[in-house]
Amino acid sequence: MSAPTNATRTVLAGATVVRPSGVVEAGRVTVEGGRIAAGLRDEAESAEVFDLTGHWVLPGFVDLHVHGGGGASFSAGSAEEALRVVETHRAHGTTTMVASTVTGELGDLADQAAALADLVEQGELAGVHFEGPFIARNRCGAHQPALLRDPDPSDVRKLLDAARGTARMVTLAPELPGGLDSVRLLRDAGVIAAVGHTDADYETTRWAVDAGATVATHLFNAMPPLAHRAPGPVAALLEDERVTVELIDDGVHLHPAALRLARAAAGPDRVALITDAMGAAGMGDGTYPLGPLTVEVVDGVARLRDVGAIAGSTLTLDVAFRRAVTVNGVSVPDAVRALSVNPARLLGLDHRIGSIEEGKDADLVVFDADFALVGVMRRGEWVVRPCP
């Protein structure tokens, strides 16, 4: 590897590169000015060249649903903590992320949204995701039941206003009073309406999708199971081409057969792998806050201290990628769709990120032959620099 001190470009050479046109062996990616360049100019003296023979170069990962990491949480309402979450997940390959909140008092959520909006405007985050408080009590999971409320459109509007145009997604239970009206409000506001933490039946879920819902929040989890006489939300969300389904591939939230079923039913273009990570991601076992609740992490599994319910994950997307490919048998291109292409498209950011194409942001991840992460680049700058 050559490293000229006056380099104006970076070249990743010799790797297997996953591009929209297909997998390119012994490929070459040129980065200039924070973007992916054509790479046709003479590189003799002006480029820093990394020989990545035997490695993979993929587009940076996009996480639609993440609450925390590095011992910090987006729900803390602190820019310092939020940036610690961002830095933790970036070091694991997530170059774009949406900050997810946890159920709280409406005023507290508004304050959190205002603080997170500053970081969105600074380019550190891609938006804000409100997961709760508009969810079903029977499916609340790691959300405080006493703080739940029906999705009154006026309350939904208050949170959107607090986020100052940075709200990207709201998870709600459409069967609750005001649910379908709130889905329509979100659709008209250009915000993703996600069905999750719900007791909705099949028909109500279909109505929600017709009203504008386009995401299944962590499919299977916190919703009625698929049954042959009561197919519920799982069937409705999987069968509708308008819906992207979130899946948590951490070996805890979903049985491998459920993952296979979801991928087979939805197809490669409608699956988004997420972390749903809480503060313990990138850390070790111990006790962590999740909004107003306390979570204990044992052997990497996060559960509420009082009731034992699963409380998010400790997952990072590099691990999700490696599991998808090496454990679940997903092809590398299909894994890239689920981790980069599909979530970027859903967020309306696919003109800038999500694939390795000329002119797009140079958000890249580098994996070795064993699918261990060895390099992360964001907007042309190394977050994790590959060793020579």
Side-chain angles (χ1 to χ4, degrees), residues 180 200-210 229 231-233 236:
L180 294 178
D201 59 16
Y202 175 83
E203 289 76 15
T204 302
T205 306
R206 285 178 57 90
W207 294 338
V209 176
D210 286 340
R229 290 193 183 95

Side-chain angles (χ1 to χ4, degrees), residues 168 192 342-353:
R168 288 283 189 178
I192 297 165
N342 299 342
R345 183 181 63 244
L346 183 71
L347 293 172
L349 298 175
D350 51 329
H351 62 292
R352 282 185 37 223
I353 62 170

Side-chain angles (χ1 to χ4, degrees), residues 192-250:
I192 297 165
V195 176
H197 288 276
T198 177
D199 248 335
D201 59 16
Y202 175 83
E203 289 76 15
T204 302
T205 306
R206 285 178 57 90
W207 294 338
V209 176
D210 286 340
T214 57
V215 166
T217 293
H218 43 54
L219 187 76
F220 296 110
N221 296 113
M223 60 181 63
L226 181 67
H228 64 292
R229 290 193 183 95
V234 172
L237 295 164
L238 278 176
E239 72 181 5
D240 200 302
E241 294 293 325
R242 295 170 290 183
V243 177
T244 297
V245 296
E246 296 182 347
L247 298 173
I248 307 171
D249 188 359
D250 63 348

Side-chain angles (χ1 to χ4, degrees), residues 160-373:
L160 299 188
D161 289 344
R164 303 197 308 270
T166 67
R168 288 283 189 178
M169 184 160 61
V170 175
T171 293
L172 55 78
E175 76 277 10
L176 296 177
L180 294 178
D181 286 338
S182 289
V183 169
R184 295 185 188 98
L185 182 154
L186 293 167
R187 175 200 64 198
D188 293 344
V191 177
I192 297 165
V195 176
H197 288 276
T198 177
D199 248 335
D201 59 16
Y202 175 83
E203 289 76 15
T204 302
T205 306
R206 285 178 57 90
W207 294 338
V209 176
D210 286 340
T214 57
V215 166
T217 293
H218 43 54
L219 187 76
F220 296 110
N221 296 113
M223 60 181 63
L226 181 67
H228 64 292
R229 290 193 183 95
V234 172
L237 295 164
L238 278 176
E239 72 181 5
D240 200 302
E241 294 293 325
R242 295 170 290 183
V243 177
T244 297
V245 296
E246 296 182 347
L247 298 173
I248 307 171
D249 188 359
D250 63 348
V252 176
H253 280 77
L254 297 173
H255 189 281
L259 285 162
R260 289 194 297 271
L261 174 65
R263 292 199 314 271
D269 296 325
R270 291 177 46 220
V271 169
L273 293 180
I274 61 163
T275 62
D276 192 21
M278 44 76 68
M283 303 288 285
D285 289 355
T287 301
Y288 299 85
L290 182 62
L293 303 174
T294 300
V295 175
E296 288 190 348
V297 178
V298 178
D299 295 330
V301 179
R303 295 185 182 275
L304 291 182
R305 170 187 284 174
D306 295 334
V307 297
I310 293 176
S313 83
T314 61
L315 187 64
T316 52
L317 284 185
D318 60 326
V319 175
F321 169 75
R322 185 165 63 251
R323 281 189 57 84
V325 174
T326 64
V327 177
N328 304 121
V330 180
S331 70
V332 172
D334 280 353
V336 167
R337 287 185 182 94
L339 287 156
S340 305
V341 178
N342 299 342
R345 183 181 63 244
L346 183 71
L347 293 172
L349 298 175
D350 51 329
H351 62 292
R352 282 185 37 223
I353 62 170
S355 58
I356 300 176
E357 296 179 83
E358 182 182 348
K360 289 192 175 183
D361 290 354
D363 291 356
L364 305 166
V365 289
V366 182
F367 284 83
D368 67 15
D370 296 319
F371 298 106
L373 184 73

